[in-house]
Amino acid sequence: MASNISEDLRSGALVYHRLPKPGKLEIQATKPLGNQRDLALAYSPGVAAACEAIAADPLLAAELTIRANLVAVVSNGTAVLGLGDIGPLAGKPVMEGKAVLFKKFSGIDVFDIEIDAKTVERMVDVVSALEPTFGGINLEDIKAPECFEVEAQLRERMKIPVFHDDQHGTAIIVGAAVRNAMEVGKRKIEELKIVASGAGAAALASLNLLLTLGAKKENIWVCDIEGVVYDGRNTLMDPYKEKFAQKTDKRTLDEVIEGAHIFLGLSAGGVLKPEMVKKMADHPLILALANPVPEIMPEVAREARPDAMICTGRSDFPNQVNNVLCFPYIFRGALDVGATDINPEMKMAAVEAIAALARETPSDVVARAYGGETRAFGADSLIPSPFDPRLILRIAPAVAKAAMDTGIATRPIADMDAYIERLDHFVFRSGFIMRPLFAQAKRNIKRVVYAEGEDERVLRAVQAVVEEGIARPIIVARPNVLETRLKRFGLSVRPGHDFDLINPEDDPRYRDYVRDYVEIAGRRGVTPDAARTLVRTHPTVIAALAVKRGEADAMLCGIEGRFTRHLRQVRDIIGLAPGVKELAALSLLITSHGNFFICDTQIQTEPTAADLAEMTVLAAAHVRRFGLEPRVALLSHSNFGSHETLSAKRVRSALSIIREREPNLEVDGEMQADSALLEDIRKRVLPNSTLTGAANVLVMPDLDAADIAFNMLKVLGDALPVGPILMGTAKPAHILGPSVTARGIVNMTAVAVAEAQTEA
């Protein structure tokens, strides 16, 4: 069977799979193997200790091997996507793709296994023999009805989860869509007439799950290539289909569709005609899931029935039924508790978690994936987006809890909150290091004013800030624009209730703001006329005045415009903290090798020794707010006196000033970057260095070095930036930058609140 894809997509896919190396997967070691001792630990003789421990207690395999995080994606290639029976070798790219999805969305490692076995007995024998290797089995692309029997026998024989995703993954998403469609339509499932087109694995599993949800078998009508599945039919029948046979003389889809509340299509493109849709009940749910051509195109269905709720399997239409919404997270929860099965209760927990997530405020990650467009819960948003990062946070814990509640968890989770927190770190790489600041912020929330309050990222960040309870937001925005954008982005926060508003066009404090601005900056070139204009048109000025007047405790700005312009306004209005001579910027990079603070990345071009000392002391105070003890390296091209250039001498002098001001601070320099990060190298150069371990605060000799190092590490190290954190202001004020994400704004809100608490 030929696939229906464009020539451009075909050629691009072949290049994608061929270059830079064949396939989509590779195996990487997770432990070092750099010397003789590493070899002795990894293999003979040290590996014997792990083998003996597992022989004595098989449950230790979860601690000593990859098994507890390893899934087999198994297929015999008899029902591959829309390609049919193309065999196991031709199906291998699909299985590799499945492995990539597991890793990307849930951090689960996968071996794809394609088996040359078509009989039920052969498949069961081969797969069941794999149990010692894997923590779970994902069956894929096995044709019906054999797939039903294979899964049933494997679940009986194996003591690890076995899950046929083509059946249950689709069924779970369909169940969530139906659950939410009932809520939108104010109906009860036991009253609904359901008509299915298609009687393969996915369709029958979906219908069985709908029965579990409360649908009545007598209200379910099934059609396949031979027409209606009726009592007494002999052609293309099997026990799984027979379950839904109706006593009827109706023989076609057109005859049974009248009055249907739900159409479930898992068959072929174009089988549902507009005239059939017109016969359906009010506000019907049309699940046209055939790919790439649905049973009816959404625009055709909408023209026939404007009141219809429509789901497809395609990503270019709303309400995509995509198995990636559930299978990575179901396995994540099952593996994390050592479940011996994926039982009906775990599947229902996934249904409820997915349905509930669709009713939550849309995520900013989803908005970016769809070009800024998101939909609030309703007819066009019955199902969450596959890109929603909260899927793992909702589904995996629900599945794990269901496994524990039903007694099939061999490693129950003792602290579910801690487990969810670990999952949160997988979703948001900044989660671990930001945790102390979020916890501190919640203890005594402060007022944070957001200058660019009409920006989508700010509004999404405000939604998250309110939900997490880390600050009381104040937004600088025009009310009419704000109302429109909150509605467009599907956000539930409201002015006056969840946040306060400063209207730049009509705020009762306008005259007071102008007067104060003239008093503050009148001798810096700001005339009364200029002040009147700036207080109307420059949100950073408004936000800074709110902080200066005590109407806010901290501010965030800089999402639009140049950093230097915002810096000038912040410096003029908020000013410097007592004793501080110059502002500086501290940026955090979260990398796979650790967390590193770099300064000064924004402001001081050629800092003096005194400037370097001052920014170091300020940086150390900020690092401690993250719950970390600062270990500071003053960087240079010189390594402890190896060069006598002016810059090296300046860095060396800064060390003397710092030690005098902060004698308990762990700091050393001047040193090269490798000496700062690798203690072995540093000890070879200077055995008595006062710095221990790897430095986590890197103070650069000038702005060029800081900016180059920061951006190189960000790109080459796949690092996540937080900041910049503006240091030295009289009150907390931070200038973020145009590339900041909504999550970045949330993180900086926590930084600002923690700083404001210290200032109070």
Side-chain angles (χ1 to χ4, degrees), residues 585 587 589 597-607 612 615 633-638 647-648 650-651 671-673 698-714:
S587 294
L589 285 176
F597 295 84
I598 300 176
C599 66
D600 169 18
T601 54
Q602 296 284 348
I603 300 171
Q604 299 188 40
T605 307
E606 291 284 348
L612 290 172
M615 71 174 67
L634 304 175
L635 297 189
S636 170
H637 75 295
S638 173
S647 65
R650 189 169 68 246
V651 172
M671 70 180 76
Q672 295 174 353
L698 307 175
V699 180
M700 301 293 171
D702 56 41
L703 183 59
D704 285 344
D707 183 72
I708 291 168
F710 175 77
N711 284 294
M712 285 185 67
L713 283 171
K714 184 172 67 174

Side-chain angles (χ1 to χ4, degrees), residues 610-685:
D611 293 332
L612 290 172
E614 182 176 80
M615 71 174 67
T616 299
V617 172
L618 292 172
H622 272 287
V623 172
R624 291 190 181 101
R625 292 192 184 100
F626 285 84
L628 301 174
E629 190 56 37
R631 297 189 301 276
V632 184
L634 304 175
L635 297 189
S636 170
H637 75 295
S638 173
N639 215 19
F640 298 110
S642 64
H643 292 81
E644 291 297 326
T645 59
L646 290 176
S647 65
K649 291 178 180 179
R650 189 169 68 246
V651 172
R652 204 175 304 153
S653 297
L655 177 64
S656 299
I657 299 171
I658 294 166
R659 284 179 170 167
E660 184 177 341
R661 288 184 58 179
E662 292 280 338
N664 295 323
L665 179 62
E666 189 174 332
V667 57
D668 210 344
E670 82 286 6
M671 70 180 76
Q672 295 174 353
D674 55 354
S675 295
L677 300 176
L678 298 172
E679 189 173 30
D680 289 346
I681 292 177
R682 186 166 63 250
K683 284 184 175 179
R684 287 200 295 269
V685 178

Side-chain angles (χ1 to χ4, degrees), residues 36 61 85 105 168 187 225 317-318 357 412 428 456 473 485 505 531-532 566 572 591 661 697 759:
Q36 183 62 38
D85 188 354
F105 289 104
H168 308 300
R187 285 177 170 146
I225 196 169
F317 294 111
L357 180 57
F428 302 110
E456 178 183 357
R485 294 188 177 182
E505 294 181 335
R532 281 190 284 270
H566 295 283
D572 285 350
T591 78
R661 288 184 58 179
V697 182
E759 300 287 334

Side-chain angles (χ1 to χ4, degrees), residues 109-308:
D109 295 303
V110 165
F111 292 160
D112 65 290
I113 298 178
E114 295 74 34
I115 58 176
D116 187 8
K118 289 195 174 183
T119 67
V120 170
E121 295 75 13
R122 175 71 170 155
M123 282 188 279
V124 170
D125 285 342
V126 170
V127 177
S128 61
L130 300 172
E131 183 167 350
T133 302
F134 297 99
I137 304 290
N138 183 96
L139 300 175
E140 194 76 17
D141 293 350
I142 301 170
K143 74 180 180 72
E146 288 90 339
C147 61
F148 302 119
E149 190 60 34
V150 168
E151 185 191 44
Q153 290 191 30
L154 287 174
R155 290 182 64 194
E156 184 67 27
R157 288 174 60 168
M158 303 179 80
K159 299 302 180 186
I160 58 175
V162 177
F163 186 81
H164 185 203
D165 185 44
D166 298 329
Q167 291 184 57
H168 308 300
T170 301
I172 287 166
I173 311 305
V174 166
V178 170
R179 171 72 87 202
N180 280 339
M182 287 189 300
E183 179 160 330
V184 172
K186 309 297 182 186
R187 285 177 170 146
K188 297 180 179 179
I189 192 168
E190 58 268 23
E191 301 170 353
L192 303 185
K193 179 180 179 180
I194 302 167
V195 175
S197 174
L204 294 177
S206 297
L207 294 175
N208 281 315
L209 189 140
L210 293 180
L211 289 176
T212 304
L213 281 172
K216 301 296 184 183
K217 193 190 306 185
E218 57 268 26
N219 293 337
I220 296 177
W221 299 75
V222 178
C223 300
D224 62 8
I225 196 169
E226 289 292 321
V228 174
V229 173
Y230 61 89
D231 189 25
R233 197 181 97 173
N234 298 316
T235 308
L236 291 180
M237 292 296 288
D238 58 60
Y240 308 100
K241 231 186 265 186
E242 186 72 40
K243 175 179 179 179
F244 295 99
Q246 293 274 17
K247 293 183 183 295
T248 181
D249 57 1
K250 297 177 180 179
R251 296 293 183 264
T252 67
L253 176 61
D254 183 55
E255 291 178 278
V256 298
I257 196 70
E258 186 168 0
H261 301 92
I262 297 174
F263 170 81
L264 173 61
L266 283 155
S267 53
V271 302
L272 184 65
K273 308 301 181 185
E275 55 269 22
M276 297 181 189
V277 175
K278 292 178 181 179
K279 297 180 182 180
M280 295 181 72
D282 292 341
H283 303 290
L285 172 63
I286 298 173
L287 295 145
L289 307 183
N291 256 325
V293 182
E295 285 79 1
I296 187 169
M297 293 300 290
E299 63 270 20
V300 177
R302 185 79 67 195
E303 184 177 353
R305 288 296 298 272
D307 63 336

